């Protein structure tokens, strides 16, 4: 959603904060702002746009002082305007805050404060925190008491950093991430280790209901009741340093190209967890798999491969839907939660519902420091490294590899997958994107794309539609091939493109028939297949593979197609409009 950062140290704060915000921009990117303290004065600059754009316009990084806070916003309360951007300062101008999350009782608090003479400039729920802190600070004259009183008054999920005019920082966490970076001569408070990884690899993962008060680089961590909290300094994995674009124009392209490597790393360091998971599954009363977006599409594939190759029945649940029918979950079953970030509020909510009825939680997750990990009985790591592009690419294929490994285990290793050879065949798809780039040009002006697949290829069609929507803003829809005649055929005419996912598996001839039915209605056909056919106007060749592996080889060219079509349409493939990487609100 949003990212927050605070810095106190020996260096000038603003340039360090701007760099940190740039790295965390994937979390939210409609506006940005920085405030710093120098000579007991708070200065603040903010505006709409992405970090580099705003910085170029108003030079956020020239603010003076060695203490500061910063924010990138993904609007929830209030439109995308300069005024609604963070930081927000209190009426006295003596306190400034940045906030991630939602303050549920902000209307009530706002009325109360207005009655006491406070005024508000923005439409945000966050500004309330600044004025509440001012009120409580004037009352207590003590930062510790001020934070304790403020957190007892606000309701919702939040992490905020507050800066006082004397240069003191304080930050509180309730269910939104907040990590402390502990450097030699500096301290960072950040939503993500990416905010400070360049400066220190020492991190403290703050617990929910904890807060920190900070004077220069001396700090104290307390709980909301004011008791000292013991903490542990963790070494951050060096791989976070990889979150650079390198020679690639965009993170999304880099992440697509990392897949021959990430496929080999998926589930790598958690082999025991895969064995344990197989064991849990074998003895489970019921098995449910949940996720959102791309992760849910992986769940749909999991359902099919578990039943086909391991004879195990599972039920898939869209995470955000479970709250409306919680009784689906039977007691003492297992819930497999798939999530790249491990922070999706919907997934965490599904886990909460399942835990209530004593289900065991198995998670397949990329971010091993996430909330989902802490709520799970067994954790399997995707190990694909930071995924910065908002649209999921490499995490999807890593999820599938983890699922293949679970299926392999359950089938007593009767299914042999040579992942090394598989990775090589993926490399071939990526080697020469020229044809895909040419097809992308054809998509520039169209308004509808349909993607057809049957069996295991249908969830791939859904995932393909999601990628096309996110990256190109073209209306895209995945259709189960057999359903064509039950309605969607009415949409086929010369204005549409249809992608036919048609590997040489048991679905091949039925899907080819569907392609012909579409072709005679004038639509243009892009065939994704290992067999060429005259029905395809454009053929994207994929390698001949074992049936179980086709989904990965099918989605990669579609990820590329979506990426290049985004370039044709001049949209930003890394940061699609209105979206955020971690959807930590419901
Ligand atoms: C799609 C996409 C989203 C996420 C969804 C779940 O490209 O990025 O649909 O898949 O928000 O996110 P995680 O996996 O982090 O729970």
């Amino acid at each position: 959603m949003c990212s927050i950062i605070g810095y106190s140290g020996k260096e000038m704060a603003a340039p360090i904060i701007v760099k940190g915000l740039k790295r965390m921009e994937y979390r939210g990117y409609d506006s940005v702002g920085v405030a710093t303290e120098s000579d007991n004065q708070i200065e603040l600059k903010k505006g709409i746009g992405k970090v580099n754009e705003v910085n170029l316009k108003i030079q956020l990084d020239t603010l003076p002082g060695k203490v500061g806070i910063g924010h990138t916003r993904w609007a929830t309360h209030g439109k995308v305007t300069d005024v609604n951007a963070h930081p927000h300062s209190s009426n006295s101008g003596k306190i400034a805050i940045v906030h991630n999350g939602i303050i549920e009782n902000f209307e009530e608090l706002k009325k109360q404060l207005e009655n006491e003479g406070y005024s508000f400039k923005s439409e945000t729920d966050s500004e309330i925190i600044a004025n509440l802190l001012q009120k409580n600070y004037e009352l207590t004259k003590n930062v510790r008491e001020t934070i304790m009183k403020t957190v007892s008054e606000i309701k919702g999920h939040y992490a905020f950093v507050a800066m006082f005019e004397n240069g003191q920082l304080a930050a509180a966490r309730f269910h939104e991430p907040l990590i402390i970076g502990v450097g030699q001569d500096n301290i960072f408070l950040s939503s993500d280790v990416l905010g400070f990884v360049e400066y220190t690899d020492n991190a403290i993962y703050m617990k929910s209901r904890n807060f920190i008060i900070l004077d220069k680089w001396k700090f104290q961590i307390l709980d909301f009741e004011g008791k000292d909290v013991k903490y542990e300094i963790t070494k951050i994995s060096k791989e976070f340093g990889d979150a650079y674009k390198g020679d690639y124009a965009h993170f999304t392209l880099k992440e697509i190209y990392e897949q021959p490597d990430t496929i080999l790393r998926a589930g790598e360091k958690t082999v025991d967890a895969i064995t344990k998971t197989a064991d849990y599954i074998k003895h489970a009363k019921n098995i449910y798999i949940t996720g959102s977006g791309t992760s849910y599409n992986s769940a749909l594939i999991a359902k099919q491969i578990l039943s086909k190759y391991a004879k195990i029945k599972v039920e898939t649940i869209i995470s955000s839907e479970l709250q409306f029918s919680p009784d689906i979950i039977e007691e003492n079953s297992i819930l497999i939660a798939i999530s790249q970030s491990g922070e999706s509020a919907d997934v965490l909510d599904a886990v909460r519902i399942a835990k209530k009825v004593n289900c065991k939680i198995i998670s397949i997750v990329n971010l091993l420091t996430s909330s989902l990990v802490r709520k799970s009985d067994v954790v399997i790591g995707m190990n694909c490294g930071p995924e910065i592009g908002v649209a999921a690419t490499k995490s999807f294929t890593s999820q599938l590899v983890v699922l293949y490994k679970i299926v392999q285990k359950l089938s007593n290793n009767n299914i042999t997958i040579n992942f090394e050879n598989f990775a090589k065949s993926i490399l071939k798809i990526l080697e020469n994107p020229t044809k895909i780039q040419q097809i992308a040009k054809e998509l520039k002006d169209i308004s509808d794309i349909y993607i057809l697949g049957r069996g295991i290829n249908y969830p791939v069609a859904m995932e393909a539609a999601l990628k096309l929507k996110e990256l190109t803003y073209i209306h895209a829809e995945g259709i189960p091939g057999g359903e064509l005649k039950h309605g969607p055929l009415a949409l086929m005419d010369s204005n549409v493109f249809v992608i036919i996912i048609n590997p040489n598996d048991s679905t091949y001839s039925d899907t080819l028939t569907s392609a012909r039915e579409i072709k005679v209605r004038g639509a243009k056909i892009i065939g994704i297949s290992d067999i060429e056919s005259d029905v395809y106007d454009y053929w994207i060749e994929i390698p001949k593979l074992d049936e179980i592996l086709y989904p990965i080889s099918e989605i990669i060219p579609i990820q590329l197609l979506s990426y290049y079509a985004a370039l044709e349409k001049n949209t930003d493939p890394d940061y699609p409009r209105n979206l955020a990487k971690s959807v930590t609100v419901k």
Side-chain angles (χ1 to χ4, degrees):
M1 308 281 73
C2 305
S3 60
I4 58 176
I5 187 165
Y7 171 88
S8 179
K10 281 196 171 161
E11 310 287 323
M12 295 303 281
I16 293 175
I17 289 173
V18 169
K19 249 199 231 171
L21 290 175
K22 180 75 205 123
R23 278 172 162 249
M24 291 194 290
E25 201 167 33
Y26 74 91
R27 296 176 57 85
Y29 39 84
D30 57 43
S31 32
V32 56
V34 176
T36 55
E37 176 277 335
S38 164
D39 294 333
N40 292 330
Q41 286 251 321
I42 292 177
E43 275 190 57
L44 190 156
K45 289 184 184 181
K46 56 187 185 176
I48 61 171
K50 294 180 57 195
V51 177
N52 283 347
E53 279 161 36
V54 178
N55 193 36
L56 211 63
K57 222 173 3 182
I58 55 172
Q59 287 82 45
L60 300 164
D61 57 1
T62 59
L63 282 164
K66 296 179 177 176
V67 178
I69 57 176
H71 188 269
T72 59
R73 180 167 187 246
W74 185 78
T76 52
H77 286 70
K79 290 184 282 299
V80 181
T81 61
D82 290 346
V83 175
N84 286 339
H86 298 217
H88 293 287
S89 53
S90 68
N91 279 183
S92 65
K94 293 182 179 183
I95 299 172
I97 64 101
V98 285
H99 162 231
N100 171 35
I102 288 175
I103 305 300
E104 282 161 11
N105 58 339
F106 89 99
E107 275 168 339
E108 186 189 318
L109 290 169
K110 192 171 177 176
K111 261 189 217 134
Q112 264 173 36
L113 285 163
E114 277 171 342
N115 288 341
E116 293 169 31
Y118 285 87
S119 61
F120 291 85
K121 294 187 210 112
S122 76
E123 303 158 304
T124 66
D125 53 338
S126 311
E127 196 182 356
I128 200 82
I129 302 173
N131 281 329
L132 205 52
L133 285 169
Q134 179 184 323
K135 177 182 156 186
N136 292 332
Y137 191 61
E138 282 168 5
L139 217 67
T140 63
K141 309 275 187 260
N142 174 300
V143 173
R144 177 175 172 270
E145 301 297 320
T146 300
I147 300 294
M148 281 170 60
K149 191 154 172 34
T150 304
V151 295
S152 72
E153 288 167 325
I154 54 180
K155 290 197 185 115
H157 285 195
Y158 53 82
F160 68 80
V161 186
M163 182 171 64
F164 295 76
E165 68 167 355
N166 62 1
Q168 260 196 294
L169 290 183
R173 166 169 193 228
F174 187 60
H175 290 308
E176 292 291 345
L178 192 60
I179 304 160
I180 307 166
V182 187
Q184 195 77 356
D185 301 316
N186 43 37
I187 296 283
F188 296 81
L189 308 164
S190 178
S191 299
D192 189 317
V193 293
L194 291 176
F196 57 78
V197 69
E198 218 173 299
Y199 302 93
T200 177
D201 59 355
N202 291 323
I204 301 169
Y205 291 89
M206 253 176 85
K207 295 203 180 92
S208 201
R209 295 185 53 81
N210 279 187
F211 69 99
I212 173 172
I213 44 183
L214 183 66
D215 200 355
K216 294 259 168 51
W217 43 96
K218 283 202 205 97
F219 64 88
Q220 189 184 8
I221 304 176
L222 304 130
D223 65 20
F224 281 6
E225 281 70 47
K227 282 200 225 88
D228 265 323
V229 166
K230 286 208 180 92
Y231 56 83
E232 224 178 274
I233 298 189
T234 314
K235 284 274 174 215
I236 307 163
S237 160
K238 286 278 179 244
E239 71 175 10
F240 281 102
D242 294 348
Y244 289 108
K245 276 189 280 195
D247 293 335
Y248 291 93
H250 294 98
F251 282 112
T252 304
L253 188 62
K254 176 179 175 248
E255 287 156 9
I256 292 173
Y257 271 83
E258 279 172 350
Q259 290 175 105
D261 182 43
T262 52
I263 280 169
L264 293 176
R265 296 209 314 256
E268 195 185 43
K269 292 175 204 146
T270 36
V271 179
D272 285 355
I274 291 177
T275 310
K276 219 169 173 184
T277 299
D279 210 48
Y280 268 123
I281 291 178
K282 267 190 222 153
H283 299 106
K285 191 167 143 201
N286 297 288
I287 304 155
Y288 310 100
I289 311 191
T290 194
S292 302
T294 290
S295 300
Y296 178 68
N297 292 333
S298 291
L300 291 173
I301 293 176
K303 177 178 179 158
Q304 296 206 28
I305 58 177
L306 279 164
S307 87
K308 178 159 183 178
Y309 298 99
K311 309 289 170 238
I312 285 173
K313 301 261 173 302
V314 305
E315 198 165 332
T316 52
I317 302 167
I318 296 174
S319 297
S320 58
E321 286 291 310
L322 187 59
Q323 59 184 310
F324 304 111
S325 47
D327 298 337
I328 288 178
I329 305 269
E330 282 191 36
E331 279 188 356
N332 304 320
S333 304
I334 67 170
L335 178 78
I336 303 176
I338 308 179
S339 174
Q340 186 284 130
S341 62
E343 296 292 350
S344 293
D346 292 323
V347 178
L348 295 175
D349 202 43
V351 165
R352 185 188 55 78
I353 293 168
K355 272 174 106 77
K356 242 181 163 172
V357 287
N358 291 326
C359 288
K360 292 276 181 224
I361 309 296
I362 295 169
S363 61
I364 300 175
V365 64
N366 194 29
L367 227 78
L368 293 177
T369 50
S370 60
S371 308
L372 178 58
V373 167
R374 291 192 287 277
K375 294 180 193 317
S376 304
D377 298 283
V378 181
V379 177
I380 309 176
M382 295 174 199
N383 286 336
C384 63
E387 189 177 65
I388 306 294
V390 166
T393 52
K394 62 176 178 174
S395 63
F396 177 63
T397 51
S398 292
Q399 288 165 1
L400 294 187
V401 171
V402 167
L403 292 163
Y404 293 163
K405 289 186 173 172
I406 296 172
V407 169
Q408 254 188 322
K409 236 318 121 324
L410 283 163
S411 69
N412 295 324
N413 291 323
N414 282 340
I415 304 161
T416 46
I417 301 175
N418 183 330
F419 285 105
E420 297 278 343
N421 284 349
F422 180 49
K424 280 185 201 141
S425 61
I426 295 306
L427 200 59
K428 277 219 175 94
I429 303 176
L430 294 165
E431 256 164 19
N432 187 359
T434 317
K435 196 167 183 184
I436 293 176
Q437 286 165 332
Q438 279 159 1
I439 303 171
K441 287 191 204 310
E442 305 292 322
L443 302 186
K444 189 170 177 241
D445 298 316
I446 65 154
S447 47
D448 303 285
I449 303 181
Y450 300 98
I451 306 102
L452 227 79
R454 281 183 158 81
I456 197 175
N457 309 301
Y458 169 56
V460 182
M462 304 272 284
E463 175 59 13
L466 190 55
K467 287 302 85 94
L468 283 157
K469 275 178 218 169
E470 288 172 299
L471 296 184
T472 68
Y473 313 157
I474 298 172
H475 164 243
E477 207 177 309
I479 299 171
E483 287 298 290
L484 189 67
K485 289 204 203 77
H486 299 286
L489 200 54
L491 299 165
M492 302 302 156
D493 64 21
S494 57
N495 297 317
V496 305
F497 264 74
V498 182
I499 299 176
I500 304 284
I501 302 186
N502 200 15
N504 186 13
D505 64 7
S506 55
T507 68
Y508 179 77
S509 38
D510 283 347
T511 304
L512 198 67
T513 305
S514 303
R516 294 200 187 285
E517 287 163 358
I518 293 167
K519 175 105 171 171
V520 294
R521 269 87 190 173
K524 286 269 186 304
I525 309 252
I526 302 169
I528 310 261
S529 181
D530 38 350
I531 305 177
E532 195 171 8
S533 165
D534 62 338
V535 74
Y536 307 139
D537 295 284
Y538 308 92
W539 175 43
I540 298 177
E541 187 178 2
I542 53 169
K544 167 101 198 85
L545 294 165
D546 289 339
E547 194 166 4
I548 193 170
L549 296 177
Y550 275 125
I552 294 181
S553 67
E554 292 158 359
I555 198 62
I556 289 176
I558 300 173
Q559 292 170 348
L560 272 181
L561 183 67
S562 308
Y563 170 79
Y564 286 116
L567 298 192
E568 290 299 326
K569 298 202 67 175
N570 244 332
T571 63
D572 184 340
D574 281 347
Y575 303 108
R577 67 184 177 202
N578 307 336
L579 300 180
K581 184 75 183 162
S582 311
V583 185
T584 58
V585 286
K586 294 219 313 167

